[in-house]
Amino acid sequence: MKMGRLFVIAIAGLALVSAVVIARGVAAPGSVPGLPALQLAGGVVVQAGAPLPMLQDIDPEDLDPARDVPGLPPVALAPPGGAVVQANGIRIPKPAMPTGARRVGIQVGHWMTDQVPAELGTRITFQTGTSWAGVQEVDVNMDIAQRIKAQLVSRGYVVDIIPTTVPVGYLADVFLALHADGDGTGENSGFKIAHGSRRGPYEDKLVAGLTDEYAKLTGLDNDVEHVSRAMSAYYAFNWGRYQHAAAAHTPAAILEMGYLSNDHDRDLLVNRADGVATAIVNGLQRFLDEVPRSKIFGEDLIVPPQRSFPSPSPRT
Ligand SMILES: [Zn+2]
């Protein structure tokens, strides 16, 4: 029921951005059928960090009183490379084609949460990860990240180990955030993988390949029913919300590797960590083999003002 109203708001925002930018003489003149007030023939350039007329899907706890208006959707912002508002959506210009070895970003979930920039909000400071039986999630995430790095480097890739704060507009051939779960009971077992609700054309392939390889080598079940909005709206790849995020062109996903609270899963993550890392490396390798760099960075992305698929149910 909300989408109609939200779209009106989005269009209102579009008109506002258009008016502002046209006043500054950036836009090319033109018109769009049905939207006579908008001048959009060549698109309207929106500078990095300026409001974008785009519906935003974020963690409900992440509303920011400094920029969001109570009762309205949270504000989306243009990413570091800027954006162009067109009749058919938001265009994200392609970046300069990277050179050198292919680059992989591995984020260690909860590492250095005390050093986040203001735009991420203070709540992330308190997200220190799960722990069980004396095992801290951040330590497991780091251990497996380092093993992944060693394996990928030996295969000729460049690997960045990334803390909670992602570099501004982070560009890589693939980005993966590592986490582990806890359910407080020890009952749940399995892994989960998701990409963001505002991602590029290759992330379904990334999630599918990782899921396949991870399940095959670890033997864990795909716990897909517990994929949450906190995963699909994960801040580290929410480029429409934060400057410190994986770029729109960077294929990105988040992996919950298993439940630390489950004896079997924890044993796997702690005592067979090399195998877990190999499973992830195989999934990443499969994606990199299937999708060449020339495709990932080869064209502009057009993002519809609304989400292209329904977001998971809000948490209750
Ligand atoms: Zn976590």
Side-chain angles (χ1 to χ4, degrees), residues 5-25:
R5 186 174 69 85
L6 294 184
F7 189 65
V8 169
I9 293 165
I11 292 298
L14 183 83
L16 177 65
V17 170
S18 303
V20 168
V21 179
I22 288 166
R24 293 165 58 187

Side-chain angles (χ1 to χ4, degrees), residues 192-203:
K192 300 183 284 286
I193 308 181
H195 61 66
S197 53
R198 285 288 190 184
R199 300 302 314 175
Y202 302 113
E203 273 126 355

Side-chain angles (χ1 to χ4, degrees), residues 109-110 129-130 137 141 178-181 256:
H110 312 288
T130 190
E137 180 192 341
N141 296 341
L178 298 181
H179 283 266
D181 255 325
E256 294 276 0

Side-chain angles (χ1 to χ4, degrees), residues 140 144 180 214 257-258 260 265-271 273 276:
V140 172
I144 292 177
Y214 197 80
M257 298 181 286
L260 283 188
D265 290 14
R266 187 176 64 256
D267 178 62
L268 183 80
L269 294 173
V270 173
N271 297 319
V276 172

Side-chain angles (χ1 to χ4, degrees), residues 28-72:
S31 67
V32 174
L35 296 175
L38 303 181
Q39 305 293 309
L40 285 175
V44 176
V45 175
V46 181
Q47 304 294 338
L52 269 186
M54 188 178 84
L55 293 185
Q56 188 57 271
D57 184 23
I58 63 167
D59 187 325
E61 292 172 18
D62 198 22
L63 295 173
D64 180 353
R67 56 180 159 174
D68 299 320
V69 180
L72 295 182

